[in-house]
């Protein structure tokens, strides 16, 4: 799909068919630790709905009935955003980032041969990082509920947020290509705009409840 998008937009860097580097295991426990790390990350991603359900089951009794009703479906929404973020990290951010890092050379005499543990660690960090980054709407929802964040505040500091978002995109995607950074930053920017709508909805409901009282 990325190669198809590359053809449509005439941006060849989006299509990563092969990563041109050699993976090595330089430690006695290298391949074993690769399996351990990969198993842990895959286990975390696949079991995240259950982990969050356990956390939610612990927190839920402390909420009022009305708050429990409002937050119904939290496990579904949080899990969905988590999976979307993980897929975005694995299929978009990771290939572009690893391709840039693997092909970067200060001298043709230096061969790129990477340790398998380093490779898996970078991949896991990008995937899990994006998965948690996509929880922005959920975080804003709860912050808006307790009055820490308001839609006015988010709109006022939108320009600052855009700057921070693309700084984050530049960090998770070390490629200097501006198109790559925009591609990675746009989903986060969209989530920010959705979060403003969520905060506005929470504030409107608070006003309606105060009027009824």
């Amino acid at each position: 799909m990325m190669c198809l998008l590359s053809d449509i937009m005439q941006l060849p860097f989006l299509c990563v068919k092969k990563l041109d580097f050699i993976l090595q295991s330089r430690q006695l426990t290298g391949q074993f630790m690769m399996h351990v790390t990969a198993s842990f990350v895959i286990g975390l991603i696949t079991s995240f709905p259950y982990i969050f359900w356990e956390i939610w089951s612990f927190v839920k009794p402390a909420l009022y009935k009305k708050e429990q009703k409002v937050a119904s479906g939290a496990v579904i929404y949080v899990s969905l955003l988590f999976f979307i973020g993980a897929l975005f990290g694995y299929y978009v951010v990771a290939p572009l980032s690893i391709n840039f890092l693997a092909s970067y050379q200060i001298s043709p005499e230096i061969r790129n041969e990477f340790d398998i543990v380093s490779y898996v660690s970078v991949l896991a960090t990008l995937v899990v990082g994006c998965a948690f980054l996509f929880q922005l709407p959920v975080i804003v929802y709860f912050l808006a509920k307790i009055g820490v964040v308001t839609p006015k505040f988010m709109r006022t500091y939108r320009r600052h947020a855009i700057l921070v978002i693309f700084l984050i995109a530049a960090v998770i995607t070390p490629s200097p290509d501006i198109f790559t950074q925009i591609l990675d930053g746009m989903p986060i920017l969209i989530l920010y705009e959705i979060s403003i709508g969520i905060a506005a909805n929470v504030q409107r409901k608070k006003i309606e409840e105060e009027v009824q009282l």
Side-chain angles (χ1 to χ4, degrees):
M1 293 302 294
M2 291 295 291
C3 289
L4 178 61
L5 182 63
S6 172
D7 293 336
I8 294 174
M9 299 181 65
Q10 296 297 311
L11 298 173
F13 68 88
L14 292 177
C15 184
V16 181
K17 293 183 178 180
K18 183 182 179 182
L19 296 172
D20 189 21
F21 61 89
I22 299 172
L23 282 177
Q24 294 185 351
S25 179
R26 295 187 176 90
Q27 303 174 23
L28 185 62
T29 59
Q31 295 195 49
F32 174 74
M33 290 307 299
M34 181 204 71
H35 265 137
V36 170
T37 304
S39 299
F40 176 78
V41 173
I42 294 171
L44 172 65
I45 293 173
T46 54
S47 64
F48 181 81
Y50 175 74
I51 295 172
F52 183 77
W53 180 80
E54 287 286 357
I55 297 173
W56 177 244
S57 298
F58 176 77
V59 174
K60 189 176 180 180
L63 302 177
Y64 294 108
K65 293 294 182 181
K66 186 179 294 185
E67 292 174 335
Q68 292 180 9
K69 184 178 179 181
V70 171
S72 61
V75 176
I76 296 175
Y77 298 133
V78 170
S79 300
L80 181 62
L81 287 171
F82 187 86
F83 287 137
I84 293 174
L87 290 172
F88 180 75
Y90 185 80
Y91 286 106
V92 179
V93 177
L96 295 176
S97 299
I98 293 174
N99 182 56
F100 168 75
L101 293 172
S103 59
Y104 184 84
Q105 285 184 306
I106 58 175
S107 172
E109 297 177 357
I110 303 175
R111 296 180 61 190
N112 282 332
E113 299 178 358
F114 305 111
D115 187 81
I116 185 67
V117 176
S118 173
Y119 172 77
V120 173
S121 297
V122 171
L123 178 61
T125 301
L126 292 172
V127 173
V128 176
C130 286
F132 282 107
L133 200 60
F134 270 57
Q135 299 301 313
L136 178 62
V138 178
I139 295 171
V140 169
Y141 172 80
F142 285 105
L143 291 177
K145 287 292 290 182
I146 61 177
V148 175
V149 170
T150 63
K152 181 181 179 180
F153 174 85
M154 295 184 71
R155 292 189 185 103
T156 301
Y157 291 96
R158 180 186 272 117
R159 293 181 180 178
H160 301 79
I162 292 173
L163 177 61
V164 172
I165 286 170
F166 283 104
L167 283 175
I168 293 173
V171 170
I172 64 176
T173 310
S175 170
D177 196 317
I178 188 64
F179 292 105
T180 305
Q181 294 178 8
I182 291 174
L183 179 67
D184 292 339
M186 283 304 295
I188 307 174
L189 183 58
I190 292 171
L191 289 173
Y192 183 83
E193 294 298 328
I194 293 173
S195 298
I196 293 177
I198 291 173
N201 186 52
V202 170
Q203 188 180 61
R204 185 177 65 253
K205 287 184 177 180
K206 280 185 177 182
I207 294 173
E208 290 175 356
E209 289 174 0
E210 291 174 358
V211 170
Q212 290 175 0
L213 293 174

